[in-house]
Amino acid sequence: MKALVKTAKGPGNLELRDMPVPTPGEGEVLLKILAAGVCGTDLHVRDDTFPYWPPVILGHEFSAQVERLGEGASLVAEGDRVVGEPHTKACGHCPLCRTGNVQICAAKRSPGWGIDGAMAEYLVMPEHLLHKLPDSIGDDVGAVIEPTANAVHDVLERAGVDGGDFVAVIGPGPIGLLAAMTARAGGARDVMIIGTDADEAVRMPKARELGFEHVVNVQKQKPAEILAELTGGIGADLVVECSGSAGGIASTVELVRKKGRICAIGLPGRDTLEFPYKAAAFKVCDLHFCLSTSYTSWNRAIDLVACGHIQADQIVTHAKPLDEWESVFADIDKQVAIKAVLIP
Ligand SMILES: [Zn+2]
Ligand SMILES: [Zn+2]
């Protein structure tokens, strides 16, 4: 089968290769991939800035059809359309796994970097990590359920958006736009979206197209002043940081109201950076760090997309054959793509 493989350690080293079709073991199923989403993680593996074990097939975001059941598999049937939590190899018995936090188990090795992933014609997955897709969600949108589940986990489950909240989202990339839509679905009264000059071409117009009125360029306007005007000087109830930039992270404290919440999603490139700790202490705000997805966020993401409250289809700007991966990756680098899916 055709597959996009990270062949060796070091930057680059990606190629389309002919790989054997994997065989499902006990409790596993063979999936025929319908669409595979390209995520920041795939680019980090390409650039050698994320842990991975080569040679490995890229991709952890996918929609698929069940092709064949391994021994003992019974939760899904051949022909079912599914998506899957990338929590493969989680041990199942550590304190994190036993408290429902398999997503941060130290033994976890996800498809796309820890084990072979979804940018291929076929993928083997344990059946207990799969969720069925309703007919109303197409194949391309199915491939972005994983990042949508991220937004749902982070904004609804971790930071707990409340009815009537004023929310500020920093960084209008795919996760930022999904977080903004999730906050709105969770009852936020308004969502302000903050970007930079680099976001002016594609991402900020998309945010406006999605119905967000307050889209602010931090290099031209002062978000804190606009926010103060919109909230009667109080500030945002919830600030969702999706940029991972030092400036974005530091600005969360200025934007959040006293006793408000900061939801930290974007990962900075550096290990340490400046943070206005004292100002945060005087604001008595809560800081929620977020990583990956919970079991519950998957069903909720599927339901919110199916009912149209999160328009995940709107962020898919590219659906291209797997053969065209190089130009698709380049479009993501140039920020002319928001979310891209590859069709094997
Ligand atoms: Zn992802
Ligand atoms: Zn574990």
Side-chain angles (χ1 to χ4, degrees):
M1 67 172 184
K2 212 180 348 178
L4 182 56
V5 182
K6 174 81 182 189
T7 58
K9 283 277 181 189
N13 299 328
L14 282 191
E15 65 181 53
L16 265 190
R17 271 192 183 173
D18 192 37
M19 300 284 283
V21 175
T23 308
E26 203 176 335
E28 294 179 333
V29 295
L30 178 67
L31 300 174
K32 183 172 172 37
I33 297 297
L34 300 170
V38 184
C39 176
T41 306
D42 300 306
L43 303 182
H44 287 312
V45 171
R46 174 196 65 184
D47 299 339
D48 204 34
T49 53
F50 190 88
Y52 62 98
W53 286 263
V56 66
I57 300 171
L58 292 190
H60 63 272
E61 303 178 1
F62 66 86
S63 64
Q65 188 156 34
V66 177
E67 177 91 2
R68 187 154 49 87
L69 302 182
E71 204 187 320
S74 61
L75 301 175
V76 290
E78 284 173 16
D80 280 352
R81 288 167 69 250
V82 295
V83 291
E85 299 173 45
H87 310 318
T88 36
K89 307 272 184 201
C91 75
H93 53 74
C94 72
L96 288 165
C97 283
R98 297 194 68 183
T99 51
N101 295 291
V102 294
Q103 69 272 17
I104 45 172
C105 170
K108 179 178 114 168
R109 295 280 184 273
S110 293
W113 52 268
I115 60 170
D116 279 335
M119 290 184 190
E121 290 173 78
Y122 295 95
L123 170 70
V124 159
M125 282 288 287
E127 65 165 351
H128 72 272
L129 293 175
L130 302 177
H131 297 255
K132 287 182 201 173
L133 265 187
D135 292 341
S136 59
I137 298 181
D139 298 343
D140 297 353
V141 186
V144 298
I145 291 295
E146 195 269 348
T148 307
N150 261 285
V152 166
H153 178 55
D154 302 346
V155 174
L156 298 184
E157 297 183 338
R158 294 279 302 153
V161 73
D162 243 340
D165 272 354
F166 194 107
V167 178
V169 174
I170 303 169
I175 288 289
L177 294 172
L178 286 169
M181 287 190 273
T182 302
R184 185 163 62 186
R189 75 177 185 277
D190 208 343
V191 183
M192 177 187 215
I193 299 181
I194 302 164
T196 62
D197 286 343
D199 301 312
E200 289 271 13
V202 178
R203 295 168 163 194
M204 284 162 68
K206 176 60 80 178
R208 289 187 194 99
E209 198 185 307
L210 289 168
F212 297 104
E213 280 175 42
H214 309 295
V215 181
V216 174
N217 180 344
V218 70
Q219 289 172 285
K220 295 199 174 81
Q221 297 158 284
K222 292 203 160 55
E225 279 177 19
I226 298 169
L227 187 63
E229 227 166 88
L230 291 167
T231 60
I234 289 172
D237 300 292
L238 170 63
V239 179
V240 186
E241 204 316 295
C242 301
S243 76
S245 69
I249 291 167
S251 76
T252 55
V253 179
E254 191 187 5
L255 299 173
V256 76
R257 71 161 162 85
K258 283 191 176 177
K259 295 284 292 191
R261 286 148 288 149
I262 298 168
C263 179
I265 302 179
L267 278 182
R270 290 187 259 147
D271 288 340
T272 59
L273 35 79
E274 282 196 23
F275 184 77
Y277 188 96
K278 195 167 159 189
F282 277 102
K283 285 215 165 159
V284 200
C285 56
D286 297 332
L287 174 54
H288 301 272
F289 287 104
C290 303
L291 213 56
S292 196
T293 54
S294 63
Y295 167 74
T296 45
S297 65
W298 279 75
N299 289 339
R300 232 205 273 209
I302 290 168
D303 290 341
L304 284 167
V305 171
C307 77
H309 287 195
I310 297 178
Q311 299 115 304
D313 57 310
Q314 294 297 311
I315 64 157
V316 181
T317 54
H318 289 49
K320 301 270 182 169
L322 180 58
D323 296 326
E324 293 178 28
W325 68 272
E326 250 176 315
S327 73
V328 169
F329 278 44
D331 280 355
I332 296 173
D333 288 331
K334 285 181 283 181
Q335 294 199 5
V336 294
I338 297 179
K339 194 72 191 181
V341 303
L342 296 168
I343 318 292

